[in-house]
Amino acid sequence: MSDIFTLSSQYVDDLVVHSPMTATDLGVAGQNDRWDDFSPAGVDKARGLFDSYLGAIGALPASQGRWELHGRRVLREELEGKIAKIDEGEPFRDLNNIFSPVQNLRDVFDMMPQGSESDWFDIIARLNTLDIPLRQYVETLDVGRTRGLVAARRQVLACIDQCSTHVGPGSYFDTMADAAGAAGVSADTVAMVAEASEAAKAAYSVLGAYLQDQYLVDAMEGDAVGPERYKSASYGFLLTDLDFEETYRWGWREVAKLRNRMVEVAKLIDPDLSFEEVVEMLETDPRFTAPSPEAFIEIMKEVQSDALLKLSGKYFDVPKEIEEVDVKMAPPGGALGAYYTSPSEDFSRNGCVWYSQPGKQVFPLSDEFSTAYHEGFPGHHLQAGTQVCLGDSLTRAHRLTIWYSGYGEGWALYAEHFMHEEGFMDDPAHEFGMLMGQIMRACRVAIDIGMHLGFDIPDDAPFHPGEVWTFELAVELAETFALLAHDYAESEVTRYLGWPGQAISYKVGQKAILDLREEAMKQDWFNLKEFHARVVGSGPVGLDYLREIVLG
């Protein structure tokens, strides 16, 4: 093959055959009735695929074209990172509460089309055969156990709980027959969906029993992954090396600064109330809440529409293909919070903002405006949606399959900051909510680095100075400073411990983009629209490379 664009497209074609779940995520038809191979042999096949394309990049003829060189570097770094993870044994201990096969095998159904009878036949096929990838996954975890590569006990217990949710009353799988009926398929197909859903529940029951009765015995008692694994994991999210001690101190400085501003803004909301009383008012007063899930979703849709109307053309070029973003409640059984899924390659499926708040009926709104800007416009949806549109400059693999959270989450957190700069959160209640989101990301830096690397809480910290981290202290920080509900705080801290290095990528990425903007302002070409175009137009890249791209 003579160029990276052709090679990259062939890579995607081969990848979606190797990984049908990736095909579903990308909206590529033809694989939706099949599963990935989660067995040790499947891991070996994946490594072989990545290695073969890494070699193919090296064999391409010399080129000086800007986007050709860009595509080669990006795909090479992606493949090198995937191979490194396999060689470090990560697939053999891939079990955590938010992003592992336990969740991914359920979540893929959210991305499957449901409009036709044939779509439901694909869903039925996957439901009926869910036991196969789960058995393969168990086989791989067992290999990890023999090699001493195991997840922490806390992560195993969280996954056992998730399996119980998938099996018990209110399971996502119990909703599928009704969804099929609502799609207008035949009664026979609806009955097949109901029967297949029971097979899927049975498969998760087997996984839960395995985790409880066998895997838990060998699970690590401690949560920390240690310096070597943490350095590798964080580099994979950032593609830059950090001074962890300095980043840890900076994270605590951010916590203190943001907390002080929250106290000031609370007085603006109501000077006669204490800080705690203001927080309670924002959580319960009808003036600051939505009364139902349906009302909440409608408000969030309006926030997206308003942002698009006021931003498009002024600070961002918004492709027509992504002018719509869906907003939905997520099915039960996963980690709490909000998340985003990208549009399909042909845009037959919109990008979507999902809210995971099971059982909640009243929705405090103060922090949801910044979350909407983070997940939708001008955050993930603008960045990820634009990326799908850039076929003339970004390779197919780059547009569809490559993601670095230092870049992507950094951009989304920058988007929150930018929207506040532009006056979208001048209402003190909305600013207070934005500060809640910002301080949560600063707390993540403190918790993630501190717990995984064994750093004590600094003597000058505004929270339990000089003490040794525990899970309980981390939850307390998330509750008292980020103001998370207890169950959400526990879910968040469990996430940080099970997904090392990812939690810091938000705040570290935001800082990198803000620092870049500060440097770019000194150059003749600078204006905000051009700066944003350079960042978003690069596609997901490492933070070191992003600096090269933006500053030239």
Side-chain angles (χ1 to χ4, degrees):
M1 296 183 183
S2 60
D3 65 83
I4 192 62
F5 287 86
T6 303
L7 182 67
S8 169
S9 186
Q10 183 61 56
Y11 167 71
V12 175
D13 289 342
D14 287 346
L15 180 65
V16 298
V17 173
H18 168 77
S19 173
M21 293 169 67
T22 298
T24 300
D25 286 341
L26 302 183
V28 176
Q31 306 290 334
N32 283 337
D33 59 341
R34 298 177 53 240
W35 288 110
D36 293 21
D37 184 348
F38 283 87
S39 71
V43 174
D44 288 341
K45 289 177 185 176
R47 196 196 186 289
L49 175 68
F50 303 144
D51 194 53
S52 68
Y53 274 93
L54 189 58
I57 294 172
L60 289 172
S63 172
Q64 297 300 317
R66 173 190 176 189
W67 295 114
E68 173 75 18
L69 294 174
H70 181 71
R72 293 185 189 192
R73 175 168 175 170
V74 170
L75 185 55
R76 184 177 64 252
E77 290 179 339
E78 168 76 358
L79 295 171
E80 288 172 345
K82 286 182 174 296
I83 290 170
K85 282 187 177 181
I86 293 172
D87 291 348
E88 291 165 6
E90 292 302 324
F92 298 96
R93 55 184 167 199
D94 187 8
L95 188 147
N96 60 56
N97 82 320
I98 189 168
F99 193 74
S100 70
V102 177
Q103 299 81 35
N104 299 340
L105 285 160
R106 209 295 306 153
D107 293 348
V108 72
F109 289 100
D110 294 339
M111 308 299 290
M112 295 182 68
Q114 300 183 359
S116 69
E117 201 93 15
S118 63
D119 291 336
W120 281 97
F121 289 153
D122 287 339
I123 292 170
I124 291 165
R126 274 192 171 157
L127 289 169
N128 275 325
T129 57
L130 182 55
D131 62 312
I132 295 174
L134 285 175
R135 284 201 307 268
Q136 293 170 337
Y137 176 48
V138 166
E139 183 184 353
T140 299
L141 290 178
D142 273 339
V143 170
R145 290 167 68 194
T146 65
R147 294 169 55 183
L149 301 173
V150 290
R153 179 180 179 84
R154 194 180 310 279
Q155 304 303 320
V156 183
L157 292 172
C159 290
I160 290 170
D161 286 344
Q162 290 176 359
C163 289
S164 297
T165 298
H166 295 325
V167 172
S171 165
Y172 163 80
F173 296 112
D174 288 338
T175 70
M176 299 197 75
D178 288 342
V185 300
S186 70
D188 287 345
T189 301
V190 172
M192 291 169 66
V193 171
E195 183 177 358
S197 296
E198 291 302 314
K201 291 171 67 175
Y204 263 105
S205 179
V206 171
L207 175 64
Y210 163 78
L211 295 176
Q212 178 72 59
D213 299 337
Q214 299 181 54
Y215 193 88
L216 192 59
V217 176
D218 293 324
M220 293 192 330
E221 286 300 323
D223 293 301
V225 300
E228 183 177 351
R229 189 176 170 204
Y230 190 81
K231 180 179 180 181
S232 175
S234 62
Y235 185 84
F237 293 117
L238 302 169
L239 265 62
T240 193
D241 289 315
L242 295 179
D243 180 331
F244 291 117
E245 291 189 11
E246 171 53 34
T247 304
Y248 184 60
R249 290 192 295 268
W250 165 76
W252 275 112
R253 292 195 298 272
E254 288 291 296
V255 170
K257 180 181 74 174
L258 291 163
R259 178 66 171 198
N260 290 338
R261 179 57 184 165
M262 290 173 73
V263 171
E264 294 172 356
V265 175
K267 289 299 181 185
L268 297 176
I269 295 172
D270 194 321
D272 297 324
L273 298 180
S274 69
F275 183 86
E276 291 74 18
E277 288 170 333
V278 169
V279 172
E280 182 178 2
M281 180 178 69
L282 292 175
E283 291 178 347
T284 59
D285 191 310
R287 293 175 297 165
F288 302 103
T289 62
S292 68
E294 293 77 18
F296 171 71
I297 291 298
E298 286 305 310
I299 292 170
M300 292 301 102
K301 287 180 178 178
E302 291 173 8
V303 171
Q304 297 297 328
S305 298
D306 179 68
L308 172 65
L309 178 66
K310 293 176 179 176
L311 295 172
S312 182
K314 183 177 182 182
Y315 294 120
F316 309 96
D317 288 321
V318 181
K320 183 175 179 59
E321 294 90 338
I322 63 166
E323 288 180 348
E324 292 186 19
V325 57
D326 293 337
V327 183
K328 299 179 181 179
M329 299 302 296
L336 303 182
Y339 61 94
Y340 172 78
T341 53
S342 297
S344 60
E345 182 178 15
D346 62 359
F347 298 101
S348 61
R349 182 190 71 218
N350 289 337
C352 184
V353 178
W354 300 84
Y355 291 90
S356 178
Q357 300 287 351
K360 201 170 184 179
Q361 292 303 313
V362 176
F363 291 78
L365 293 173
S366 61
D367 61 331
E368 295 296 353
F369 289 85
S370 60
T371 297
Y373 300 138
H374 180 110
E375 302 294 345
F377 288 111
H380 286 319
H381 183 65
L382 175 67
Q383 180 269 311
T386 299
Q387 157 189 334
V388 178
C389 298
L390 295 177
D392 291 339
S393 53
L394 304 184
T395 67
R396 190 176 179 218
H398 195 182
R399 288 183 289 114
L400 301 180
T401 71
I402 295 174
W403 174 259
Y404 297 107
S405 60
Y407 167 87
E409 299 296 353
W411 169 262
L413 204 57
Y414 167 81
E416 294 183 44
H417 178 93
F418 175 76
M419 294 299 274
H420 179 246
E421 288 180 320
E422 292 302 310
F424 280 76
M425 289 177 280
D426 280 350
D427 184 317
H430 297 171
E431 182 183 356
F432 191 86
M434 179 206 69
L435 291 167
M436 287 170 59
Q438 295 281 332
I439 200 171
M440 180 178 73
R441 278 45 174 255
C443 289
R444 285 176 174 176
V445 175
I447 294 169
D448 201 56
I449 295 177
M451 293 194 73
H452 282 298
L453 298 185
F455 295 162
D456 291 345
I457 298 173
D459 291 335
D460 59 351
F463 173 87
H464 290 271
E467 294 191 25
V468 176
W469 278 111
T470 64
F471 180 80
E472 290 73 23
L473 276 182
V475 171
E476 183 183 341
L477 179 65
E479 287 184 279
T480 57
F481 277 65
L483 306 181
L484 302 185
H486 183 72
D487 58 346
Y488 190 5
E490 287 192 327
S491 178
E492 278 287 297
V493 175
T494 301
R495 162 189 170 172
Y496 312 154
L497 296 172
W499 208 9
Q502 197 272 345
I504 69 172
S505 63
Y506 297 70
K507 197 70 177 166
V508 170
Q510 179 200 34
K511 183 179 186 299
I513 293 172
L514 286 170
D515 288 348
L516 266 178
R517 191 177 73 174
E518 190 71 22
E519 290 189 66
M521 289 174 67
K522 302 171 185 176
Q523 300 197 11
D524 292 341
W525 59 264
F526 179 83
N527 61 67
L528 280 171
K529 188 176 181 182
E530 174 63 18
F531 174 76
H532 294 152
R534 291 191 182 200
V535 176
V536 173
S538 73
V541 294
L543 296 181
D544 286 344
Y545 186 29
L546 180 63
R547 189 174 189 280
E548 295 177 31
I549 292 168
V550 171
L551 299 181

